[in-house]
Amino acid sequence: HRRFDFRPKTDPYCQARYTFCPTGSAIPVMKEEDVIEVYRLQAPVWEFKYGDLLGHLKIMHDAVGFKSSLTGKNYTMEWYELFQLGNCTFPHLRPGMDAPFWCNQGAACFYEGIDDAHWKANGTLVLVSTISGTMFNEMAKWVKYDNETGIYYETWTVQASPDKKSTVWFDSYECSKFILRTYQKLADLGAVFKKIQTNYTSIILFSGEPIYLGNETSIFGPQGNKTLAAAIRDFYNPFKPHQSVREFFVDLFKIIDHVILNHQFYLFYNLEYWFLPMKSPYLKIIYEEVPLPVGNKASFGV
């Protein structure tokens, strides 16, 4: 996933249904000698059944919690879409504009408190590590860097086949990936993680080798490819970005239908368009284990 030099200003056209990070606050500077507990937080985004097609989907949202021993205060940190999931996955087709218009950014949100009931009742709230105040402060600097340079949300993982060793053409960039990066950063700083099973959700598309199509200007600009521009617009036409989670999944099934019938998918990734020659099983939502990282214990003399 490409890193960018800065986060672009959001266009006023992009309106969130729910305010992003409404109670967010700056990450506090912890005292070096503080001992901070690190918690893994996970709960279902929305559980539903859709006939026998995909059965019961485990679509989870991930976050990380911290508790300071010195102050007793709890904090939650997560990463999610600025304009909700639909906007990150589907563009708007605006009248008078040739190119699809994307309202797609993701960012970290940090706030005081952990909603124990939410995480415990539906999912997971478990202690995974203990770190020093020094490590926490180093992590905070990294979060700032990560947030300023990794700005676009990416819903899809694209790989060649369901085989574990299969080629990954494109990696997703969403809430769980941020949590995994955070754990890795803490491990690099010397955090030691407990040996517990940790699973994450991925939405995977299966495709032959992707074909590079170009960027917005080369496809939709004055010298662009009118046929290709029309094909991309037609592909995105059925999907509506402003929608509830339920509507998002209805559109997801429209996509599956389109993809299976026509064996094609147009992917917008790092500001570029790609054609995916889709192949069976086309799309899978998986909930699989990703182990907690093993770090370098010596790096902070812990």
Side-chain angles (χ1 to χ4, degrees):
H1 195 274
R2 184 172 140 207
R3 293 271 163 192
F4 291 84
D5 295 336
F6 62 94
R7 183 179 286 278
K9 273 212 161 86
T10 58
D11 191 292
Y13 178 82
C14 298
Q15 295 295 322
R17 182 176 287 212
Y18 311 104
T19 308
F20 174 78
C21 204
T23 57
S25 58
I27 304 182
V29 176
M30 299 293 192
K31 292 205 162 126
E32 289 180 12
E33 67 276 15
D34 201 348
V35 175
I36 295 154
E37 293 177 337
V38 182
Y39 291 89
R40 174 170 188 259
L41 310 176
Q42 188 179 64
V45 171
W46 184 53
E47 292 178 36
F48 73 115
K49 286 188 169 63
Y50 190 87
D52 292 324
L53 181 60
L54 289 174
H56 194 72
L57 300 186
K58 279 229 166 190
I59 309 265
M60 310 297 270
H61 177 67
D62 297 274
V64 59
F66 301 98
K67 183 177 183 186
S68 157
S69 303
L70 286 180
T71 65
K73 284 183 176 177
N74 293 324
Y75 302 93
T76 302
M77 184 167 76
E78 54 189 328
W79 195 93
Y80 59 99
E81 326 87 47
L82 265 61
F83 311 108
Q84 281 77 65
L85 186 58
N87 273 311
C88 295
T89 312
F90 311 119
H92 295 257
L93 299 180
R94 293 174 67 179
M97 285 178 77
D98 268 353
F101 184 82
W102 293 85
C103 291
N104 176 9
Q105 283 192 37
C109 173
F110 187 94
Y111 52 94
E112 192 172 328
I114 294 176
D115 181 353
D116 285 37
H118 170 71
W119 302 104
K120 272 185 189 156
N122 302 310
T124 307
L125 194 164
V126 62
L127 179 69
V128 290
S129 188
T130 306
I131 60 173
S132 67
T134 308
M135 283 185 208
F136 180 92
N137 296 336
E138 285 299 314
M139 177 208 73
K141 287 181 206 160
W142 168 83
V143 169
K144 184 173 187 296
Y145 156 79
D146 186 76
N147 222 21
E148 285 168 357
T149 60
I151 50 184
Y152 295 110
Y153 189 100
E154 182 52 55
T155 305
W156 316 104
T157 295
V158 184
Q159 59 187 57
S161 78
D163 180 31
K164 277 263 192 282
K165 294 189 175 64
S166 143
T167 304
V168 176
W169 305 117
F170 298 98
D171 216 344
S172 61
Y173 199 81
E174 27 68 6
C175 66
S176 68
K177 291 293 197 305
F178 172 75
I179 301 306
L180 292 167
R181 289 197 302 281
T182 302
Y183 289 159
Q184 187 57 57
K185 181 65 187 175
L186 290 173
D188 294 346
L189 291 170
V192 179
F193 285 89
K194 292 177 181 295
K195 289 187 170 36
I196 54 169
Q197 185 166 339
T198 52
N199 289 53
Y200 299 90
T201 303
S202 292
I203 304 183
I204 303 177
L205 300 174
F206 299 102
S207 153
E209 185 160 353
I211 298 156
Y212 176 68
L213 300 174
N215 60 22
E216 188 175 295
T217 311
S218 70
I219 298 170
F220 298 94
Q223 260 66 69
N225 179 333
K226 296 278 181 280
T227 316
L228 178 58
I232 292 174
R233 274 200 306 276
D234 286 350
F235 173 76
Y236 284 120
N237 200 37
F239 317 121
K240 291 169 240 28
H242 280 310
Q243 55 190 353
S244 66
V245 173
R246 186 178 294 272
E247 288 163 334
F248 170 78
F249 283 103
V250 170
D251 274 357
L252 188 62
F253 290 109
K254 281 188 201 164
I255 284 193
I256 295 169
D257 205 39
H258 189 102
V259 158
I260 291 173
L261 288 173
N262 303 314
H263 294 260
Q264 55 183 220
F265 190 100
Y266 289 97
L267 180 76
F268 188 59
Y269 191 91
N270 282 343
L271 305 183
E272 294 172 326
Y273 285 94
W274 296 79
F275 175 77
L276 305 182
M278 299 297 288
K279 58 188 200 188
S280 177
Y282 304 104
L283 183 147
K284 258 189 170 175
I285 297 175
I286 59 165
Y287 185 67
E288 68 174 0
E289 183 174 11
V290 181
L292 286 160
V294 177
N296 170 10
K297 292 180 191 177
S299 55
F300 252 97
V302 174

